[in-house]
Amino acid sequence: MIGYGLPTTINIEGNEYDIQSDFRAVLDILIACEDPDLSDIEKQDVMYQILYKDANQIPAHCYAEACKKAADFIDGGMEDTRKKPQKKVIDWQRDAAMIMPAVNKVAGRELRAEKYMHWWTFLGYFMEIEDGLFSQVLSIRQKKAKHKKLEKWEREFERENSDLVKLPTVQSEEQKKEIENLEKWL
């Protein structure tokens, strides 16, 4: 995938398959991938079903390739060179109220009012977010994830806005039941 075009199809074994390239579809995928009650296979299937308009037309033996190419599309066509998984610093659903104004500021318009916006266009705006509430929150989360020392103003901001800065620990229903059962014994 070359970064100058805005793909609306993905080539799998020489065949082009239409995809849902609007940013809302990809955000739905990202939100679903944060669901602790879904297994990795179920998350992959959600991505596959949402992204491909005619997922049932893709031959079963192409499923792995289709999922890999779907993930590449979601990554904006950029190769992920990180060696190990990064600690989560964004919750796409919970942070939406901070993300959208920041992206709108970069775009110079209200993107939610657009009938269609390609995911890569949205992602480009997202990557250019500068000063503002979301960037402050994200900076603090990133520092904490890397165990870096916060500046005095950052510690104060975190104290005063802990509900924005702290990402909740997400537990599956199974984990919640286990904890409830343990608490009964204590």
Side-chain angles (χ1 to χ4, degrees):
M1 291 182 206
I2 305 296
Y4 292 112
L6 296 175
T8 56
T9 62
I10 292 179
N11 186 300
I12 301 167
E13 285 195 347
N15 295 308
E16 296 291 324
Y17 295 95
D18 291 333
I19 58 172
Q20 302 283 356
S21 58
D22 186 68
F23 77 96
R24 294 166 194 87
V26 177
L27 290 175
D28 287 344
I29 293 167
L30 294 173
I31 289 167
C33 287
E34 293 175 345
D35 186 338
D37 290 319
L38 294 178
S39 69
D40 288 343
I41 296 296
E42 291 169 322
K43 291 174 184 180
Q44 185 173 318
D45 196 50
V46 166
M47 174 186 66
Y48 182 80
Q49 294 298 327
I50 291 174
L51 192 67
Y52 291 101
K53 289 182 179 180
D54 293 316
N56 58 340
Q57 300 297 316
I58 301 172
H61 72 276
C62 296
Y63 183 79
E65 179 185 356
C67 288
K68 166 76 172 94
K69 288 187 174 180
D72 291 345
F73 172 79
I74 292 169
D75 287 340
M78 296 180 282
E79 190 174 326
D80 187 357
T81 58
R82 295 176 290 197
K83 300 280 189 251
K84 59 182 180 176
Q86 303 295 306
K87 187 169 181 180
K88 179 180 172 177
V89 293
I90 297 174
D91 182 315
W92 288 97
Q93 185 164 355
R94 186 173 175 274
D95 293 339
M98 290 186 293
I99 293 171
M100 288 311 301
V103 173
N104 288 341
K105 182 179 174 184
V106 174
R109 64 186 189 278
E110 174 56 67
L111 300 182
R112 291 169 287 197
E114 301 287 326
K115 290 186 186 217
Y116 170 84
M117 174 163 293
H118 195 279
W119 166 245
W120 287 9
T121 302
F122 179 89
L123 188 58
Y125 289 140
F126 178 80
M127 290 189 293
E128 292 301 318
I129 293 173
E130 293 181 355
D131 293 337
L133 177 62
F134 180 66
S135 63
Q136 288 177 337
V137 169
L138 187 58
S139 175
I140 292 169
R141 288 179 185 168
Q142 289 171 329
K143 281 185 174 183
K144 290 180 68 111
K146 293 179 180 180
H147 306 288
K148 291 185 176 180
K149 185 177 178 181
L150 297 177
E151 301 290 329
K152 182 179 177 183
W153 73 268
E154 291 171 318
R155 288 191 307 272
E156 186 176 322
F157 180 90
E158 180 184 23
R159 220 177 9 262
E160 293 173 2
N161 300 284
S162 62
D163 56 325
L164 292 177
V165 175
K166 185 175 182 187
L167 288 173
T169 304
V170 182
Q171 299 173 330
S172 67
E173 288 302 318
E174 185 178 312
Q175 290 170 322
K176 288 177 189 174
K177 287 178 185 175
E178 286 178 20
I179 291 170
E180 287 174 12
N181 287 335
L182 286 173
E183 287 175 346
K184 287 179 187 176
W185 292 100
L186 297 177

